[in-house]
């Protein structure tokens, strides 16, 4: 995978993960053009399109478009499954995820993505393992508000985000 | 200084902005606050501030001033800091900035951290955006982690290694030992990432590929793993809609594809498992089809037995009938790849493919169209063309040009009759005339010219089409050209194929003149119609009318039209005796294109200069039995025309240099000569005559080297006597490889207007076995034909 973009029906970017080195300007240009192209697609059209020299796989979940650019030898159908798996992970983590969750907790959406994919490829094919790792990593965070109830006041010097 | 506002608070605030300006103002205010906070080196809130910066960056605002802060966060001991720091690095930094190299040390430390989640962060960041320098520095650490027993780290290290190899391919070797027993892991994450790593290595290095095939004998191992996945019972952890770990299955199939490609043994070893997967995979959901798709790709790419290939194509055929348009798309793409090699098998699904032309999705339609053209042959041409023409009528404009070209090509190859061919062309011109490619016009003109018995029919149909619609330029151009050529047939009312129409000379001229004045006509079209009108002066009797039209355009603003009109006027005034000969019917033309057989066709023995027409097709050269006619016509030159098997093609020059045409008949058999041969360096000259100027000889030098050492920095220089002019074009290279393994070529053009004997002095300089060599030589043995 070369990159993954999440954007709303109005074209607002909610997440961008780039697995190839490009300048900020190029990224902006690609994002703008690709978002426009995908938003112009009619609902009856298939989830794949050729764009520049890449294959683009996209799927809409509620108000969010999940869009991946893959290489020519990559399997489009399994990419759809990858996208679906990521949505399932978000769903499990946030409990019935919606766009607002991703807006207000974008850094967590990134953490989950980075636990699922590395360099554009899936690290773990087990939903359970990915979620468990996220959970454990969250426990390491020094500023969880929940901790407030159980531990001494000392820990509250750490500021939540 | 109050505490910086929280991230969620900021997001909420920014979202209340009603205009872009309002949002910008909020952002600027917050950025200022963040900047001063950074200046104060505040450790407590750095994490929060960077997080806010990342949010604003996503909205499109500049955030480069946060780059160094990310580095500070990464260096912090707190996990929260590191998490945001690494995220920030991945979002804000890339290998173009020098700053990113400062990360290297932090990453190195974190790769050895006691907490695996910190190690994970470091591996992720390195594997995502590590530059070549970073990869070089840290490859050793990654390799170490590849050997750990901790599967959480091992799987990440494998993917990180993939990235390192992509950035620095030379480091591939160092990961080889660690990769060895990766496949014996039980953990699916490690298995999956290992297969990805092996795939990357195979794709990058043919040596590795061979090693994996023959030494490690990977194929049976992979087959075993795949078999276990399929045969094992339900595994809740990896199940997706009833299929066990489809991601791993797909990756294994892809690796098998690479291993089996062009290798009989490996292909045989995987035959059974491929058949098994192909027949047993559940196809009701996308997952199953994803696996089948990968399987089909593998079967088609390896050396599979024919039964398996037919099975694969049938799977694709079934895909075509699937309700899911994604599946249909994927099927069409794959069929397009296999249609050349497994043509007959794909033909069986032709009707389904043709149905896909009516699909709503643009990508599917395009693929169906490409595939349909690939499947057209002599047997199905009539049926297929009906469908394709129907498609041409109703398809989007973006397809029309390609479709029209495809129809022309197919019609040319497989037309069952001339009439059918012309009808098909007419149909395309009238329905998609404005989308037809520019080069189709001369091709069509040539085709029409060569269908001698259809001239009357063709001109009649084209005339009728013109009456209906003059907006489609290619149609108008072809029509006016035909009317110019065959206008006499049109008014004489002879037509065998259909009911002849009654039309007078004046009506025809009305139409052509209409084209000249219409706003819809392009300048090129106007040129065509003026020329057509001129040609009719020898075919029609209303010469006065034509003279009038031509003289009017002698003062046209359009330079091209003006030039034509002036020349035609001159033809009327001073060269009226030549007019009939000049405006005679065009002879049958030779095709220039490389596809399709070249035929030596009958000519009517008369050549004529071409009308100044930018798209004029080339003239033909004469076969032996026609040569005498040509000589007689020109009063017998004592030149013997040479019959060649490959006919030279050249555009006829305006004004008709007939002697030039003859001159060229005797060329192209100038023998090559050896100009220089010394110390292992041999230089050969081959000759061509440049056209249209017979005074220019085009010499190509071929330098070869029989010694065992390359001749580098090779420079060829030439000098000629004063009456000549010389032009040296760039050489193909400046290294003459040893032992005749290749040659250096260079083109020399010599202008010899006084037809003197060609002599040349050459100077050669090169480096051989470390020492420079220089030599001067005279070349005097040019064959007489090269300069006469």
């Amino acid at each position: 995978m070369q990159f993954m973009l999440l954007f709303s029906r109005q074209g607002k970017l909610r997440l961008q993960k780039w697995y190839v080195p490009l300048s900020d300007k190029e990224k902006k240009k690609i994002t703008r053009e690709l978002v426009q192209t995908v938003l112009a697609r009619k609902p009856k059209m298939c989830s794949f399109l050729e764009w520049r020299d890449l294959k683009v796989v996209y799927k809409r979940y509620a108000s969010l478009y999940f869009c991946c650019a893959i290489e020519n030898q990559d399997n489009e159908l399994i990419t759809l499954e990858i996208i679906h798996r990521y949505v399932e992970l978000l769903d499990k983590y946030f409990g019935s995820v919606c766009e607002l969750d991703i807006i207000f907790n974008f850094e967590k959406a990134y953490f989950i993505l980075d636990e699922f994919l590395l360099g554009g490829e899936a690290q773990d094919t087990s939903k359970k393992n990915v979620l468990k790792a996220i959970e454990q990593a969250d426990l390491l965070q020094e500023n969880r508000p929940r901790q407030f109830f159980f531990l001494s006041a000392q820990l509250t010097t750490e500021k939540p985000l | 200084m109050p505490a910086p506002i929280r991230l969620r608070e900021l997001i909420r605030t920014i979202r209340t902005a009603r205009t872009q300006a309002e949002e910008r103002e909020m952002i600027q205010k917050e950025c200022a606050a963040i900047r001063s906070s950074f200046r104060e080196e505040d450790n407590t809130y750095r994490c929060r501030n960077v997080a806010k910066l990342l949010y604003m960056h996503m909205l499109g605002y500049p955030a480069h001033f946060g780059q160094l802060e990310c580095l500070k966060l990464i260096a912090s001991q707190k996990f929260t800091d590191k998490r945001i720091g690494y995220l920030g690095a991945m979002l804000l930094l890339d290998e173009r900035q020098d700053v990113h190299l400062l990360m290297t040390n932090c990453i190195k430390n974190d790769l050895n951290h006691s907490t695996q989640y910190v190690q994970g962060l470091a591996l992720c960041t390195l594997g995502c955006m590590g530059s070549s320098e970073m990869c070089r520095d840290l490859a050793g650490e990654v390799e170490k982690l590849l050997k750990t027993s901790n599967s959480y780290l091992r799987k990440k290290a494998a993917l990180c290694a993939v990235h390192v190899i992509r950035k620095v391919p030379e480091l591939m070797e160092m990961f080889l030992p660690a990769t060895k027993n990766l496949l014996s892991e039980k953990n699916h994450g490690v298995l999956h990432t290992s297969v990805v790593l092996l795939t990357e290595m195979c794709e990058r290095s043919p040596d590795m590929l061979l090693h994996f095939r023959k030494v490690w004998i990977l194929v049976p191992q992979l087959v075993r793993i795949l078999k276990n996945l399929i045969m094992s019972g339900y595994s809740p952890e990896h199940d997706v809609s009833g299929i066990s770990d489809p991601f791993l299955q797909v990756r294994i199939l892809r690796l098998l594809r690479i291993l089996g490609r062009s290798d009989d043994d490996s292909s045989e070893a995987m035959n059974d498992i491929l058949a098994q997967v192909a027949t047993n995979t559940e196809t009701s959901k996308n997952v199953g089809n994803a696996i089948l798709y990968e399987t089909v790709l593998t079967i088609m790419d390896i050396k599979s037995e024919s039964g398996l290939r037919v099975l694969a194509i049938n799977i694709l055929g079934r895909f075509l009938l699937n309700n899911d348009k994604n599946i249909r798309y994927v099927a069409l793409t794959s069929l397009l790849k296999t249609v050349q090699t497994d043509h007959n098998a794909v033909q069986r699904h032709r009707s389904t493919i043709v149905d896909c032309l009516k699909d709503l999705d643009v990508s599917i339609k395009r693929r169906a169209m490409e595939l349909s053209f690939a499947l057209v042959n002599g047997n199905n041409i009539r049926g297929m063309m009906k469908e394709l023409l129907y498609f041409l009528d109703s398809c989007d404009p973006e397809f029309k040009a390609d479709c029209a070209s495809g129809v022309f090509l197919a019609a040319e190859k497989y037309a069952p009759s001339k009439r059918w061919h012309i009808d098909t062309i007419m149909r395309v011109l009238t329905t998609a005339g404005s989308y037809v490619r520019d080069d189709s016009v001369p091709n069509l003109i040539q085709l029409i010219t060569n269908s001698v018995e259809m001239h009357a029919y063709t001109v009649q149909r084209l005339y009728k089409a013109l009456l209906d619609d003059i907006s489609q330029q290619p149609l108008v151009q072809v029509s006016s050209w035909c009317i110019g050529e065959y206008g006499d047939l049109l008014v004489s009312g002879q037509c065998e194929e259909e009911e002849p129409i009654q039309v007078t000379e004046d009506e025809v001229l009305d139409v052509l003149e209409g084209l000249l004045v219409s706003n819809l006509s392009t300048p090129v079209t106007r040129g065509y119609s003026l020329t057509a009108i001129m040609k009719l002066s020898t075919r029609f009797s209303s010469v006065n009318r034509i003279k009038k039209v031509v003289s009017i355009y002698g003062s046209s603003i359009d330079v091209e039209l003006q030039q034509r009109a002036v020349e035609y006027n001159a033809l009327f005034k001073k060269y009226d005796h030549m007019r009939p000969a000049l405006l005679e019917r065009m002879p049958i033309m030779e095709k220039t294109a490389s596809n399709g057989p070249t035929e030596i066709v009958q000519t009517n023995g008369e050549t004529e200069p071409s009308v100044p027409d930018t798209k004029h097709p080339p003239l033909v050269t004469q076969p032996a039995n026609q040569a005498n006619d040509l000589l007689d016509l020109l009063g017998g030159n004592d030149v013997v025309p040479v019959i060649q098997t490959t006919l030279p093609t050249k555009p006829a020059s305006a004004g008709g240099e007939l002697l030039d045409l003859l001159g060229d008949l005797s060329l192209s058999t100038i023998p090559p000569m050896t100009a220089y041969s010394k110390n292992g360096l041999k230089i050969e000259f081959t000759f061509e005559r440049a056209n249209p100027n017979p005074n220019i000889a085009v010499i190509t030098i071929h330098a070869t080297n029989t010694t065992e050492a390359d001749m580098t920095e090779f420079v060829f220089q030439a000098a000629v006597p004063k009456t000549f002019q010389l032009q040296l074009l760039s050489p193909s290279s400046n290294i003459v490889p040893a032992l005749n393994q290749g040659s250096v070529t260079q083109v020399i053009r010599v202008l010899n207007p006084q037809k003197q004997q060609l002599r040349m002095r050459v100077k050669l300089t090169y480096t051989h076995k470390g020492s420079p060599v220089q030599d001067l030589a005279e070349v005097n043995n040019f064959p007489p034909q090269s300069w006469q």
Side-chain angles (χ1 to χ4, degrees):
Chain A
M1 195 184 297
Q2 291 211 355
F3 57 85
M4 183 192 285
L5 302 171
L6 265 68
F7 51 90
S8 70
R9 301 258 289 278
Q10 288 75 40
K12 292 206 99 124
L13 200 58
R14 300 299 181 205
L15 188 145
Q16 50 172 335
K17 188 75 191 180
W18 298 82
Y19 295 110
V20 286
L22 288 168
S23 71
D24 234 15
K25 206 166 100 172
E26 286 167 315
K27 284 182 193 168
K28 280 207 170 118
K29 182 159 184 267
I30 292 176
T31 306
R32 196 174 45 235
E33 284 177 22
L34 191 53
V35 167
Q36 232 172 18
T37 311
V38 171
L39 288 177
R41 303 267 291 178
K42 303 192 196 73
K44 284 288 175 204
M45 293 177 141
C46 72
S47 298
F48 314 129
L49 58 107
E50 287 104 28
W51 187 79
R52 302 197 179 179
D53 56 345
L54 293 168
K55 297 201 280 197
V56 171
V57 179
Y58 72 93
K59 190 146 184 210
R60 204 186 103 212
Y61 287 85
S63 57
L64 265 185
Y65 282 89
F66 287 70
C67 189
C68 297
I70 57 175
E71 264 126 10
N72 270 313
Q73 53 290 37
D74 290 332
N75 181 327
E76 293 97 320
L77 298 178
I78 208 76
T79 309
L80 279 174
E81 294 299 320
I82 297 262
I83 292 177
H84 192 74
R85 175 56 65 89
Y86 180 46
V87 173
E88 284 179 322
L89 289 167
L90 289 169
D91 195 57
K92 208 59 198 275
Y93 182 84
F94 287 108
S96 256
V97 68
C98 64
E99 191 185 342
L100 276 179
D101 289 320
I102 303 195
I103 295 171
F104 279 94
N105 301 286
F106 71 94
E107 86 278 12
K108 300 211 177 85
Y110 273 108
F111 296 153
I112 297 172
L113 184 62
D114 285 340
E115 200 57 51
F116 174 42
L117 301 179
L118 200 159
E121 303 282 350
Q123 305 168 36
D124 208 312
T125 54
S126 150
K127 230 187 311 186
K128 193 179 82 179
N129 285 348
V130 176
L131 288 167
K132 196 164 73 174
I134 294 280
E135 211 179 304
Q136 296 289 325
D138 280 351
L139 283 174
L140 285 181
Q141 294 222 164
E142 293 90 349
N143 55 11
R144 293 163 302 121
R146 259 173 284 173
Q147 209 178 358
F148 194 86
F149 288 93
F150 301 109
L151 297 171
S152 65
Q154 288 167 337
L155 283 167
T156 62
T157 55
E158 300 303 337
K159 301 296 172 198
L161 279 181
Chain B
M1 171 94 199
I5 70 169
R6 305 241 209 106
L7 170 65
R8 322 272 175 233
E9 193 59 49
L10 178 69
I11 297 178
R12 206 166 320 178
T13 314
I14 292 180
R15 281 171 65 79
T16 62
R18 274 160 302 167
T19 63
Q20 185 77 358
E22 213 180 313
E23 182 185 278
R24 213 174 310 134
E25 210 183 295
M26 290 179 188
I27 302 263
Q28 272 171 356
K29 198 164 119 204
E30 187 55 38
C31 274
I34 293 178
R35 276 186 141 112
S36 49
S37 187
F38 284 162
R39 268 196 298 271
E40 286 166 23
E41 298 280 341
D42 187 326
N43 287 341
T44 330
Y45 294 111
R46 183 177 287 124
C47 186
R48 185 187 289 185
N49 284 328
V50 170
K52 286 188 286 187
L53 205 54
L54 293 181
Y55 177 73
M56 296 190 286
H57 178 253
M58 182 140 66
L59 291 178
Y61 296 92
H64 44 273
F65 57 92
Q67 285 168 1
L68 271 174
E69 302 300 313
C70 292
L71 294 179
K72 293 182 195 162
L73 283 175
I74 293 174
S76 154
Q77 290 311 310
K78 295 193 271 199
F79 183 70
T80 320
D81 281 358
K82 282 189 190 284
R83 233 182 175 186
I84 295 287
Y86 277 118
L87 178 61
M90 285 193 272
L91 288 175
L92 299 181
L93 290 171
D94 64 60
E95 47 186 61
R96 286 142 209 271
Q97 285 115 8
D98 298 323
V99 182
H100 85 279
L101 284 171
L102 297 172
M103 265 200 292
T104 315
N105 215 30
C106 283
I107 295 187
K108 187 169 189 169
N109 291 336
D110 284 342
L111 285 175
N112 293 304
H113 203 273
S114 48
T115 312
Q116 68 176 16
Y117 297 104
V118 174
Q119 289 173 294
L121 284 177
L123 280 168
C124 181
T125 308
L126 182 60
C128 196
M129 44 93 57
S131 62
S132 332
E133 298 97 322
M134 280 171 74
C135 288
R136 248 184 258 270
D137 287 337
L138 299 169
E141 304 296 326
V142 177
E143 196 259 346
K144 223 165 51 187
L145 287 171
L146 199 50
K147 297 193 281 220
T148 174
S149 54
N150 180 337
S151 45
Y152 176 79
L153 291 175
R154 214 166 180 204
K155 70 188 188 196
K156 289 181 193 275
L159 289 181
C160 198
V162 170
H163 180 85
V164 170
I165 291 174
R166 281 189 188 147
K167 284 298 196 186
V168 194
E170 307 90 69
L171 291 175
M172 201 188 309
E173 292 274 337
M174 92 188 265
F175 292 107
L176 198 54
T179 318
K180 191 134 179 81
N181 41 19
L182 277 176
L183 284 185
S184 41
E185 263 264 12
K186 290 279 182 282
N187 179 296
H188 280 226
V190 179
L191 272 178
H192 184 267
T193 58
S194 309
V195 173
V196 174
L197 178 56
L198 288 166
T199 309
E200 185 70 27
M201 288 173 152
C202 288
E203 278 176 341
R204 290 207 169 248
S205 159
D207 289 332
M208 266 321 173
L209 175 58
L210 222 60
H211 189 84
F212 291 150
R213 232 187 234 152
K214 305 291 179 199
V215 180
W216 286 14
I217 315 181
L218 271 187
V219 174
Q221 237 183 323
L222 291 167
V223 168
R224 210 173 31 244
I225 299 174
L226 192 51
K227 199 161 188 153
N228 280 337
L229 279 175
I230 306 174
M231 306 297 270
S232 68
Y234 175 72
S235 152
E237 198 175 329
H238 300 109
D239 180 273
V240 181
S241 305
I243 297 182
S244 192
D245 207 338
F247 304 104
L248 183 56
Q249 288 196 38
V250 164
R251 279 329 288 237
I252 292 180
L253 286 163
R254 187 161 148 185
L255 182 53
L256 285 174
R257 178 153 81 243
I258 299 172
L259 288 168
R261 208 178 267 155
S262 24
D263 186 77
D264 290 320
D265 292 330
S266 304
S267 301
E268 208 188 304
M270 55 179 86
N271 247 321
D272 286 345
I273 191 69
L274 289 174
Q276 203 177 352
V277 175
T279 41
N280 289 342
T281 308
E282 183 64 48
T283 60
S284 54
K285 291 268 175 68
N286 183 58
V287 241
N289 289 322
I291 295 177
L292 279 178
Y293 175 41
E294 197 73 36
T295 313
V296 165
L297 289 177
T298 302
I299 293 176
M300 300 315 292
D301 219 9
I302 64 170
K303 302 204 136 194
S304 46
E305 46 180 51
S306 60
L308 204 52
R309 294 179 88 85
V310 171
L311 177 60
I313 303 237
N314 288 344
I315 291 177
L316 291 178
R318 274 208 311 275
F319 274 7
L320 281 179
L321 300 166
N322 197 306
N323 283 330
D324 188 340
K325 45 194 160 356
N326 293 334
I327 310 280
R328 291 204 298 274
Y329 174 91
V330 146
L332 286 170
T333 314
S334 314
L335 283 170
L336 205 51
K337 284 190 229 165
T338 65
V339 72
Q340 302 302 333
T341 47
D342 295 81
H343 193 91
N344 291 332
V346 181
Q347 278 283 3
R348 267 182 239 131
H349 301 279
R350 197 179 65 240
S351 50
T352 329
I353 292 169
V354 167
D355 280 340
C356 288
L357 285 172
K358 306 191 184 85
D359 203 294
L360 292 164
D361 183 298
V362 166
S363 314
I364 291 183
K365 274 203 277 226
R366 176 169 284 281
R367 279 177 165 53
M369 180 182 84
E370 285 171 24
L371 204 45
S372 302
F373 279 122
L375 289 176
V376 169
N377 63 26
N379 293 330
N380 58 34
I381 178 75
R382 282 188 196 266
M384 286 297 274
M385 200 50 87
K386 215 164 38 179
E387 296 285 346
L388 287 164
L389 286 172
Y390 181 71
F391 174 68
L392 183 62
D393 283 342
S394 53
C395 69
D396 298 330
E398 59 189 281
F399 289 123
K400 293 214 191 217
D402 289 329
C403 191
S405 301
V407 167
F408 287 148
L409 217 66
E412 207 174 293
K413 276 201 215 158
Y414 302 111
S417 75
K418 283 249 157 86
R419 160 117 190 224
W420 181 95
H421 196 169
I422 303 247
D423 282 342
T424 306
I425 292 174
M426 289 293 311
R427 175 86 183 268
V428 174
L429 285 178
T430 48
T431 52
S434 12
Y435 299 98
V436 158
R437 293 222 168 83
D438 288 341
D439 61 354
S440 318
V441 173
N443 286 340
L444 291 175
I445 287 177
Q446 182 182 46
L447 176 67
I448 291 169
T449 314
N450 292 351
S451 324
V452 179
E453 65 280 13
M454 303 296 301
H455 284 167
Y457 172 69
T458 312
V459 69
Q460 183 164 293
R461 285 210 61 191
L462 284 170
Y463 177 76
K464 283 199 277 191
L466 259 195
L467 290 177
D468 277 334
D469 172 20
I470 59 168
S471 64
Q472 305 193 82
Q473 299 306 297
L475 172 63
V476 174
Q477 287 166 12
V478 175
S479 304
S480 34
W481 189 91
C482 279
I483 294 174
E485 278 293 304
Y486 311 121
D488 49 325
L489 298 177
L490 188 58
V491 298
S492 71
Q494 345 156 327
C495 181
E496 287 168 8
E497 299 285 339
E498 64 173 20
E499 186 67 38
I501 58 173
Q502 307 298 329
V503 62
T504 66
E505 291 184 1
D506 277 322
E507 284 170 336
V508 174
L509 286 170
D510 282 341
V511 170
L512 286 175
E513 283 185 47
L515 293 176
L516 276 173
V517 300
S518 164
N519 285 337
L520 298 167
S521 300
T522 62
V524 171
T525 307
R526 291 205 178 92
Y528 269 91
S529 54
L530 187 62
T531 304
I533 292 175
M534 186 59 190
K535 285 195 209 169
L536 289 174
S537 70
T538 54
R539 292 158 176 73
F540 282 3
S541 50
S542 22
V543 183
N544 285 330
R545 178 173 175 181
I546 294 175
K547 264 196 209 168
K548 215 165 35 161
V549 174
V550 167
S551 65
I552 291 175
Y553 281 89
S555 44
S556 160
I557 293 180
D558 181 332
V559 175
E560 174 71 26
L561 273 185
Q562 193 191 104
Q563 180 178 353
R564 289 184 190 213
V566 165
E567 287 178 4
Y568 296 157
N569 253 332
L571 210 51
F572 273 125
K573 296 208 162 52
K574 286 196 269 179
Y575 299 100
D576 209 42
H577 56 284
M578 284 179 72
R579 189 165 47 89
L582 283 171
L583 299 177
E584 267 287 344
R585 275 258 209 287
M586 291 297 282
I588 296 179
M589 305 170 209
E590 178 63 38
K591 209 171 161 43
T592 48
S594 52
N595 47 347
T598 53
E599 308 157 329
I600 310 233
V601 287
Q602 291 276 322
T603 70
N604 51 17
E606 294 150 51
T607 57
E608 65 194 62
S610 68
V611 201
D613 180 343
T614 47
K615 297 181 186 184
H616 205 75
L619 291 182
V620 73
T621 54
Q622 316 295 323
N625 51 3
Q626 297 289 329
N628 290 331
D629 291 350
L630 193 60
L631 290 176
D632 285 346
L633 187 71
L634 295 167
N637 271 355
D638 56 347
V639 174
V640 179
V642 175
I643 312 309
Q644 305 121 28
T645 47
T646 57
L647 302 170
T649 58
K650 73 177 192 69
S653 38
E657 292 170 50
L658 298 169
L659 290 176
D660 199 21
L661 186 68
L662 273 186
D664 277 326
L665 282 174
S666 66
L667 88 101
S668 105
T669 48
I670 306 176
M673 58 174 267
T674 303
Y676 176 93
S677 181
K678 201 164 145 191
N679 295 333
L681 174 63
K682 178 166 152 196
I683 299 187
E684 244 193 31
F685 284 5
T686 55
F687 300 91
E688 285 159 48
R689 192 159 301 259
N691 43 48
N693 190 340
N695 295 327
I696 296 184
V698 179
I699 305 172
T700 308
I701 72 156
H702 305 264
T704 49
N705 166 10
T706 54
T707 69
E708 334 89 55
D710 290 345
M711 292 173 179
T712 57
E713 290 160 58
F714 177 78
V715 176
F716 174 89
Q717 289 168 298
V720 288
K722 285 209 193 78
T723 53
F724 298 82
Q725 274 181 43
L726 188 68
Q727 184 191 16
L728 263 181
L729 303 179
S730 316
S732 60
S733 92
N734 59 0
I735 301 180
V736 190
L739 299 169
N740 290 332
Q741 283 171 36
S743 66
V744 168
T745 56
Q746 193 166 5
V747 174
I748 310 172
R749 296 163 69 94
V750 181
L751 177 63
N752 182 6
Q754 296 181 22
K755 298 266 186 213
Q756 295 205 343
Q757 181 178 8
L758 185 52
R759 287 179 0 245
M760 193 184 278
R761 188 172 288 174
V762 299
K763 178 173 169 186
L764 306 158
T765 48
Y766 55 89
T767 305
H768 188 234
K769 294 186 182 165
S771 36
V773 178
Q774 192 178 298
D775 199 11
L776 282 171
E778 289 256 0
V779 184
N780 287 325
N781 52 335
F782 284 97
Q785 302 100 303
S786 63
W787 46 268
Q788 271 172 352

